[in-house]
């Protein structure tokens, strides 16, 4: 998310979560509820302190407002960030306690999976609240792990962006994928099927090495992945991959990946432009997961998700095209479009 002054209001609600019995320790940040309940996943991660967890929650919640608005969803933006306890803990108990906290908000916040959480965790949450998605789906209905939808949206966006930026199909191109978790691994499989060459990095060796063996991907260190020789760089780990230093070292001509908050600071958008590197804005390309979550929460069908996810890549292509014509950063153009959607809804409501 580009942290520049916007027309949006600051977080309407920030709820501190603490329950000594279960080890629950974190925050729910609700950034905007203009378009509907604040929706965004639950991140479960080790943070040095509460300040870092809160900062992450605020950035991620803001990003969800923009993402949901541009995807045309009837949802505001929010996020939960939970600190992973050190040592042993009862995971089921912790997520049940989180579910109780979500329930207390009475539908102001809708949760789902994010980094570090699983379908099983959301099933625990569902024991305490109905304001949760990412649960196993009934036949034909929307639901389940949102990651495959996210990966599909990223893959199709990358294919469309490669045609626009590199005038090429993905076959024969090299893609550097940073992070081979739920989304990154799925994206790698789709890229390998499309004939792309893969270079991957992840500090977690087990999954990374198995994937490399199956797909014939080259493995490099986490410090090298952003600067390897590749046409496309796909950040699929945590936020902030695009620091000024990382951008200076990039050899790729296109950045398109799943991670939220890829730009470490607003100036990085200009740095990318000045270096002639196209940037497919993170929250536009990675909207597949929240599209699935939204449809599940609203009781829609899998076919609705399928259709809406298929609309992501054309949106990305139009955005890149429009930004190039105006010689502006796609990140800034996307932000303005999302702000206009929310401001329009505010005007209607006023
Ligand atoms: P995940 O936890 O399954 O995977 C993240 C992976 O990144 C892990 O394997 C982790 O070891 C790896 N990683 C951490 N630091 C790294 C580093 N420095 N270099 C390389 N790899 C590193 O999470 P996920 O669900 O795959 O999500 C990945 C990203 O996509 C996150 O930023 C998430 O917010 C975003 N996202 C996910 C979804 C979804 O549907 N899961 C939707 C939208 C956005």
């Amino acid at each position: 998310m580009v942290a520049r002054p916007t027309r949006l209001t600051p977080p309407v609600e920030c709820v501190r979560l603490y329950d000594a019995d279960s080890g629950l320790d974190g925050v729910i940040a609700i950034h905007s509820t203009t378009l509907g309940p604040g929706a965004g996943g639950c991140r479960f991660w080790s943070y040095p302190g509460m300040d870092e967890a809160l900062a992450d929650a605020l950035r991620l919640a803001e990003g969800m407002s923009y993402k949901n608005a541009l995807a045309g969803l009837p949802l505001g933006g929010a996020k939960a960030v939970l600190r992973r306890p050190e040592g042993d803990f009862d995971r089921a108990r912790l997520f049940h306690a989180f579910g109780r906290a979500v329930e207390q908000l009475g539908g102001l916040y809708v949760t789902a999976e994010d980094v570090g959480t699983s379908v099983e965790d959301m099933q625990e949450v569902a024991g305490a609240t109905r304001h949760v998605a990412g649960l196993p789906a009934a036949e034909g209905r929307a639901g389940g792990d949102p990651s495959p939808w996210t990966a599909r949206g990223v893959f199709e966006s990358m294919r469309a962006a490669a045609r626009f930026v590199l005038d090429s199909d993905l076959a024969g191109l090299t893609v550097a994928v940073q992070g081979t978790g739920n989304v990154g691994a799925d994206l790698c499989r789709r890229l390998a099927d499309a004939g792309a060459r893969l270079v991957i990095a992840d500090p977690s060796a087990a999954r990374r090495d198995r994937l490399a063996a199956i797909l014939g991907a080259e493995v490099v260190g986490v410090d090298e992945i952003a600067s390897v020789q590749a046409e496309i760089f796909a950040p699929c780990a945590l936020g902030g991959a695009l620091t000024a230093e990382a951008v200076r070292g990039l050899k790729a001509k296109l950045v398109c990946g799943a991670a939220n908050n890829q730009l470490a600071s607003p100036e990085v958008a200009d740095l990318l432009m000045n270096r002639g590197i196209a940037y497919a804005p993170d929250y536009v390309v990675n909207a597949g997961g929240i599209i699935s979550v939204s449809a599940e929460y609203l009781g829609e069908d899998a076919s609705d998700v399928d259709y809406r996810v298929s609309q992501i890549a054309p949106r990305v292509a139009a955005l890149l095209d429009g930004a190039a014509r105006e010689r502006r950063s796609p990140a800034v153009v996307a932000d303005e479009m999302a702000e206009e959607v929310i401001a329009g809804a505010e005007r209607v409501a006023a």
Side-chain angles (χ1 to χ4, degrees):
M1 171 57 39
V2 180
R4 60 194 176 77
T6 71
R7 293 189 292 274
L8 296 186
T9 47
V12 294
E13 190 147 0
C14 222
V15 183
R16 177 81 167 92
L17 311 175
Y18 185 75
D19 177 45
D21 283 348
S22 63
L24 178 71
D25 186 14
V27 62
I28 297 172
I30 302 172
H31 177 264
S32 158
T33 53
T34 303
L35 298 171
C42 171
R43 181 163 292 194
F44 189 53
W45 197 250
S46 296
Y47 290 88
M50 196 52 218
D51 286 353
E52 288 82 358
L54 178 63
D56 214 15
L58 292 174
R59 265 196 309 270
L60 289 162
E62 184 185 47
M64 291 309 301
S65 292
Y66 284 70
K67 185 188 307 199
N68 296 339
L70 257 198
L73 301 174
L75 298 172
K79 202 86 178 183
V81 167
L82 308 184
R83 295 177 66 194
R84 195 186 168 91
E86 287 171 19
D88 291 342
F89 63 97
D90 182 336
R91 195 166 175 116
R93 207 153 159 234
L94 190 152
F95 278 96
H96 197 270
F98 172 60
R100 289 198 301 275
V102 173
E103 178 61 18
Q104 277 176 13
L105 289 170
L108 203 60
Y109 170 59
V110 181
T111 196
E113 294 88 350
D114 188 58
V115 173
T117 53
S118 64
V119 172
E120 291 72 36
D121 296 329
M122 291 308 123
Q123 286 176 294
E124 287 299 336
V125 174
T129 183
R130 66 184 176 81
H131 305 297
V132 53
L135 304 169
E139 183 64 27
R141 308 296 286 176
D145 177 8
S147 303
W149 292 109
T150 305
R152 182 182 139 191
V154 176
F155 171 74
E156 292 177 357
S157 298
M158 194 184 285
R159 190 172 53 190
R163 284 193 193 122
F164 178 74
V165 176
L166 305 164
D167 196 20
S168 171
D169 285 332
L170 292 170
L173 296 184
T174 301
V175 185
V177 181
Q178 180 187 50
T180 53
N182 291 326
V183 183
D186 190 320
L187 175 67
C188 284
R189 284 188 280 272
R190 291 170 195 265
L191 288 168
D193 284 349
R197 283 191 297 268
L198 291 168
V199 185
I200 62 175
D202 196 304
S204 158
R207 205 166 182 182
R208 175 198 70 198
D209 292 346
R210 199 173 58 240
L211 196 69
I214 294 168
L215 303 180
E218 180 188 345
V219 175
V220 298
V222 292
D223 295 337
E224 297 166 76
I225 189 71
S227 59
V228 296
Q229 197 67 51
E231 281 85 14
I232 303 172
F233 176 50
C236 297
L238 301 181
L242 299 172
T243 59
E245 192 190 343
V247 170
R248 276 193 287 274
L250 270 180
K251 301 199 178 58
K253 284 286 160 216
L254 168 64
V255 177
C256 179
N260 284 309
N261 297 333
Q262 291 171 25
L263 301 177
S265 66
E267 305 77 44
V268 173
D270 290 335
L271 271 182
L272 284 162
M273 271 225 342
N274 295 343
R275 287 215 53 219
I277 300 167
Y279 171 62
D282 46 15
Y283 63 82
V284 188
V285 307
N286 72 15
I290 195 70
I291 287 172
S292 171
V293 162
S294 168
E296 177 183 344
Y297 188 63
L298 299 171
E300 296 175 337
D301 291 339
S303 59
D304 298 314
V305 182
D306 186 69
Y307 174 72
R308 287 190 200 118
V309 172
S310 75
Q311 299 305 298
I312 295 175
R315 191 176 300 133
V316 170
L319 184 61
L320 291 177
D321 185 38
R325 281 174 206 275
E326 295 172 15
R327 297 184 201 286
R328 299 169 72 213
S329 164
V332 175
V333 174
D335 280 2
E336 287 179 1
M337 287 166 69
E339 286 161 17
E340 189 46 43
V341 171
I342 297 168
E346 275 169 1
R347 282 195 295 274
V348 170

